[in-house]
Every structure is written in structure tokens, then in C-alpha cells.
Amino acid sequence: MKNNKQKLIETLHEKQKAFFASQITHGNSFRIEKLRALKKEIQHREKDIYQALKKDLRKSGFESMTSETVLVEKEIDKMIRMLPLWNRPQRAKSSLINFPSKDYIIHEPYGNTLVISPWNYPFQLAVTPLVGAIAAGNTVVLKPSEFAPQTGKVISEIMACVFDPGHVAVVEGDASIATALLQKKWDFIMFTGSTTIGKIIAKAAAEHLTPTTLELGGKSPCIVDDSAPIVMTAKRLVWGKFLNCGQTCIAPDYLLVHEKIKDKLTQEIIKQIKKAFGENQENSDDYGRIAHQRHFDKLKASLKNHNIIYGGATNEKDFFFSPTLVDEPALDSELMQEEIFGPILPIISYKTEDEIHEIFKGRERPLAFYIFSKRKKFIKQLFNRYSFGGGVANDSIIQFANDNLPFGGVGHSGMGAYHGKYSFKNFTHEKPIIKRSFWFDLPGRYAPYPKFLSLLKFLLKNL
Ligand code: NAD
């Protein structure tokens, strides 16, 4: 079996190299035709996608539509609409030093790309990068996560229906398959997943000097100061934190709340949890499940020795884990050191802004950063002071939905960004070209060189 997979990878890699070399992916019309076919097939298989997401993560139809298929379809529409404009050679101002010349940038596809995706939004996080790669003229081998196997299967069927395997192929499997894929030389790798595996990807890519985009995780803080309106803040926090059972890379990881409003906010969060998912969230159709045993066990263990002020209920049968609030966990506990990636919300109070800075000191750069406050100056100061992937004031998670903004991390939360135009750029080498004519050269260009260096220096600096 293992050898069979290795052979399959070998054959696919060769096939995709030949497909790209044929230059068929170079034209806009071919790319647009394929993107249209992909959208049509996604719409045709919509029910199967929702069913698969239900089986893998117990996602509601509403969440499957809003956070998975709609975002992908929107991305396809944007690529189809904008590709002719984005893929035009882009004129650049010429330098007088090269006078006369015509300078421009060609958008060159990298070539054969590898996309590795996670299980938490298993459709959207696999297909959105793929759409960018196709729009930019690349071939793609996609490896979806083994922890969302039903969704992986549907994705594989959709791609097989739309694409020649030389253009796009899906290889299902676990880490061993990803390792085998990484041994091949790719022209670009896009990985979405944990920081730990991101390091493995970066090392493997370095072997071949392959450029990569790493979409990773981290502990995204959420600061609530005493000017924030309690009800609206709690409502938006509960939505952002417990969507997909807390398994969202940009979910608020922990709360830093001004002590004046901590009790009130905590009570309102509990009220909003009950309003959204009922007294017993296990019975709610809108509340998801933890993806797999290892993650379920890790989340359970992380609660040990903490003061649980709400929730903490679990059911191992189907990996139910209730929305859980933890009061003032120690900053050096596992809960406050590692990304939670589940429905546990630590609530920590602060008195002064200096205390916030103390808590952030020495922490890695998060993927997201949230502030709830009516104080404009406070918001501006924090956004400017700290480094993070992307920030939102007075809401959470919504940054993902705006494809006019780059989405990505920095430092431990990743490198590179995508969505909309940034996806096209992500999968494109911007190739600068200068076209000169033969009729003129700047005097003094060739040896023997002129002796009046100061005049030459002046000209070179100012032309
Ligand atoms: P993961 O890193 O465990 O797995 C991601 C992918 O990597 C899977 O396809 C998996 O099969 C593969 N993989 C596992 N071991 C590998 C190895 N040794 N070599 C190569 N590939 C390997 O992540 P996950 O558990 O699927 O997802 C959760 C993590 O992803 C969280 O940290 C979360 O924050 C992050 N995430 C980030 C984003 C983002 O956009 N930045 C989005 C979703 C999730």
C-alpha cells in the first residue's frame, strides 16, 4: 500500500511537470474555464459537501454554507472577474539610467504547487488556496487532512470530475503521505496547519529552496476594556469563540478583561452561550464537536487544576465538549502557553495597561488580535504596538470574510498571505522585464571610465 502511494505520488509529480511544461495553464481563458467548471461542480455537490462536514465535524448546514462553500464560491467569482486585469503585464516607471527603456512586470505562475490543508474548515481551507493557485496558472497536488476524511473524499471526487490529474490531483492520507509528498521538488508549497508542523514544512522546503506560504496558528488575545458595551461584546465573543466548537485558527484564544467589568461580562457570556446553544449544548444542532480523540484528550487534560466557572461537560462518545469558561488560569499553565483551539475560554482580569503589556511580554506573535473598546486612542496604541497577523476592533473572526484584505500570520503564526488579489499574488512570481532599444547609451558607461566621479555620482543619484 505504502509503495503504491509512493508510486502514485511519483507518477502525479511527473504528470504535473509535463502538464505545466505544455503551457496550457498560461492562458487566462483556460484558467477561467476551469474555475467556472469547478464552481459548477461545487454547486452540484453542495449537499454531499454538507453531509461530509456533518459527519466529520457535526457542522450545521448554516455553518457549512457560511464558513465553507460560500467563501470558496466568492473566491472563484472574484478570480474569474479580476483575472484578466490582474494578469496583465503591469507597466513600471523606467529609470532614466536605462533611458530609453520599457519596464514592466509579468505575472508568472510558479509551476507545480503542493497544498496541504487542516481539518477545521476542511473544505474551505483546502479549496480556497487551490483556487488561487489555479487562477495564477499553476498545477496543484492537494493533500487534505486525514481528520476530515469524508470531506477529503468529496473534494477528491470534485477535483477528479473537473480537472485532468496533470493539472489538479488530490492525494488523501496522513502525515506519512505528506512526508512522501514533501520529498519531491515543488515550485511552491502552501501549508495551513499548526506551527509545529509548519516548521517541518519549512525545513523540507528549504532542501529545495522552494518558496512557501505558511498559514499557522497561535494564541490570539482579546482585550476588553471597561468602555466596551457588555451585551454586544459578549454576543460577538460567544459567536467568534464557539463557532466550529472553538476550532478556528482566528478564534479569540483568551480574554483580558478590565477588572471593573469582569463579573458582568462573564455573566453575560454565560447568558449568550445559553441563548445560542441552550442550557444543554449537547442537544443543539448548531454546536459542533471536537474533530478527533487526541485533540479531545488534550483539551480535557488542559482543564486540570483550573477554576472552571462555566461548562466543562464532555461526552467521549461523539467528542462533545461544552463551552467552558476558566477563571484566572496561571499564565505559565499549559492553557495559557499553548494554542487552545477548542471551546475553552480563559478569562483574566487586568487593572492597568502595564499589566496587559506584562502578559504579552515574551509571547509569540499571534494570528489575530482583538480589542473591544470605545476608546479610539487605546485601540490605536495597541494595534500599533504589537505585531500580529491581523486585528479587529469590536468584533472577532470577521477579517476572514473580507477578500480585499490579505489574510496571513507573521512570525510563529505564519508567513505570506492570501485571499482575493493576495491569493493571485501568493501563487505568482512577479517577473520584472526591461526592454531597451539600441539607439542610445549614457555617456561614460563603458571603460575606460570617466575620472569626474562627483559629477557621475550626482547623475546616478538623481536620474
Ligand atoms: P496539523 O499541523 O496537525 O495538520 C495540518 C496538515 O499537515 C494535515 O493535512 C496533516 O496531515 C499534515 N501533517 C501532519 N503531520 C505532518 C508532517 N509530519 N509532515 C507534513 N505534514 C503533516 O494541523 P491541524 O491539527 O489539522 O489544524 C490545526 C492547526 O492549524 C491549529 O494550530 C490552527 O491554528 C491551524 N490553522 C491555521 C489556519 C490559518 O489560516 N492560519 C487555518 C486553520 C488552522
Side-chain angles (χ1 to χ4, degrees):
M1 182 64 187
K2 217 174 163 193
N3 276 346
N4 280 351
K5 279 271 181 185
Q6 225 136 19
K7 250 196 190 147
L8 171 84
I9 289 169
E10 191 74 46
T11 315
L12 270 181
H13 194 245
E14 288 308 314
K15 232 185 219 171
Q16 296 214 340
K17 279 204 293 192
F19 197 88
F20 185 73
S22 76
Q23 301 200 25
I24 188 171
T25 67
H26 281 210
N28 285 346
S29 48
F30 175 76
R31 300 181 198 176
I32 289 172
E33 181 201 316
K34 286 291 155 194
L35 289 171
R36 281 210 178 105
L38 177 60
K39 185 179 165 191
K40 204 168 157 202
E41 192 57 23
I42 290 171
Q43 286 173 336
H44 176 60
R45 299 292 304 270
E46 198 174 65
K47 272 196 189 132
D48 300 333
I49 299 168
Y50 292 175
Q51 257 169 26
L53 289 164
K54 187 100 191 163
K55 278 187 194 155
D56 286 334
L57 289 156
R58 209 169 173 277
K59 271 197 197 202
S60 68
F62 180 83
E63 270 190 37
S64 296
M65 187 259 285
T66 52
S67 64
E68 301 263 8
T69 52
V70 158
L71 292 177
V72 171
E73 286 179 39
K74 236 180 108 200
E75 184 82 351
I76 295 178
D77 287 343
K78 185 148 199 173
M79 292 296 169
I80 291 173
R81 206 170 57 246
M82 300 307 290
L83 185 63
L85 179 70
W86 292 343
N87 200 24
R88 265 194 215 151
Q90 186 188 324
R91 277 299 290 267
K93 202 168 163 235
S94 304
S95 164
L96 276 177
I97 289 175
N98 300 326
F99 178 81
S101 77
K102 197 172 161 191
D103 299 28
Y104 54 98
I105 295 163
I106 293 178
H107 305 283
E108 177 184 70
Y110 277 112
N112 303 121
T113 69
L114 172 65
V115 174
I116 300 180
S117 59
W119 50 259
N120 60 332
Y121 291 86
F123 184 77
Q124 196 257 116
L125 291 175
V127 185
T128 305
L130 182 143
V131 168
I134 296 304
N138 301 279
T139 68
V140 182
V141 167
L142 166 68
K143 196 211 81 67
S145 172
E146 67 275 31
F147 293 116
Q150 301 301 326
T151 314
K153 193 167 162 269
V154 180
I155 293 174
S156 180
E157 287 164 5
I158 290 174
M159 298 307 159
C161 187
V162 175
F163 296 98
D164 183 301
H167 191 193
V168 173
V170 178
V171 181
E172 292 168 77
D174 59 11
S176 67
I177 297 300
T179 307
L181 283 165
L182 286 169
Q183 278 160 10
K184 294 274 146 219
K185 184 178 186 294
W186 302 94
D187 298 312
F188 192 88
I189 298 174
M190 173 138 181
F191 170 79
T192 307
S194 60
T195 302
T196 309
I197 307 296
K199 288 180 189 174
I200 295 174
I201 306 288
K203 271 189 201 155
E207 273 301 313
H208 301 289
L209 289 179
T210 300
T212 51
T213 287
L214 302 176
E215 294 285 342
L216 311 177
K219 285 189 88 62
S220 300
C222 178
I223 299 156
V224 185
D225 88 350
D226 54 336
S227 69
I230 305 278
V231 177
M232 187 58 100
T233 300
K235 214 187 249 182
R236 291 181 177 175
L237 275 174
V238 166
W239 176 73
K241 178 69 188 185
F242 300 110
L243 184 80
N244 200 25
C245 206
Q247 301 164 116
T248 304
C249 57
I250 45 173
D253 189 280
Y254 59 97
L255 287 191
L256 295 180
V257 188
H258 195 282
E259 61 164 16
K260 268 197 213 161
I261 60 158
K262 185 187 155 196
D263 289 344
K264 262 193 188 164
L265 184 69
T266 305
Q267 288 316 309
E268 189 59 39
I269 288 175
I270 295 170
K271 208 167 137 189
Q272 293 299 334
I273 290 172
K274 290 179 184 167
K275 212 169 156 189
F277 309 113
E279 290 279 346
N280 181 358
Q281 297 89 27
E282 203 167 357
N283 299 330
S284 165
D285 284 340
D286 297 325
Y287 191 71
R289 294 295 183 269
I290 302 304
H292 57 85
Q293 182 85 48
R294 187 158 37 95
H295 192 41
F296 179 82
D297 293 343
K298 185 175 178 277
L299 285 169
K300 233 176 132 179
S302 73
L303 282 181
K304 260 185 205 146
N305 304 324
H306 288 296
N307 182 14
I308 298 172
I309 43 177
Y310 180 78
T314 58
N315 186 348
E316 195 160 344
K317 247 201 234 155
D318 66 346
F319 302 141
F320 166 73
F321 204 114
S322 74
T324 300
L325 307 182
V326 173
D327 191 36
E328 306 287 348
L331 294 179
D332 60 358
S333 63
E334 191 193 310
L335 201 60
M336 282 307 294
Q337 288 296 318
E338 287 185 22
E339 180 185 9
I340 296 171
F341 209 57
I344 303 172
L345 184 63
I347 303 179
I348 297 164
S349 59
Y350 73 88
K351 232 191 258 175
T352 64
E353 283 176 35
D354 283 347
E355 282 178 33
I356 299 178
H357 306 313
E358 265 319 297
I359 290 169
F360 288 161
K361 227 189 241 169
R363 289 188 180 263
E364 297 294 353
R365 300 164 189 200
L367 186 58
F369 192 98
Y370 302 108
I371 310 168
F372 285 77
S373 169
K374 282 188 174 171
R375 296 194 182 100
K376 284 186 187 157
K377 201 170 152 203
F378 177 66
I379 295 173
K380 192 172 165 193
Q381 269 172 356
L382 288 176
F383 279 164
N384 288 341
R385 178 167 182 166
Y386 295 103
S387 178
F388 46 82
V392 178
N394 303 328
D395 212 331
S396 65
I397 298 211
I398 54 164
Q399 67 269 46
F400 204 85
N402 184 357
D403 58 17
N404 297 309
L405 292 172
F407 181 84
V410 58
H412 268 229
S413 56
M415 56 177 86
Y418 73 131
H419 286 182
K421 182 162 190 190
Y422 300 95
S423 259
F424 177 77
K425 278 170 86 80
N426 184 51
F427 286 100
T428 298
H429 164 55
E430 294 188 333
K431 189 161 74 177
I433 305 285
I434 298 181
K435 252 198 230 161
R436 289 218 61 205
S437 78
F438 291 106
W439 68 266
F440 180 74
D441 267 335
L442 274 186
R445 170 180 168 167
Y446 304 107
Y449 298 120
K451 303 293 176 247
F452 304 109
L453 290 190
S454 54
L455 174 64
L456 196 64
K457 192 173 171 189
F458 174 83
L459 288 172
L460 286 173
K461 274 169 71 179
N462 292 288
L463 279 181

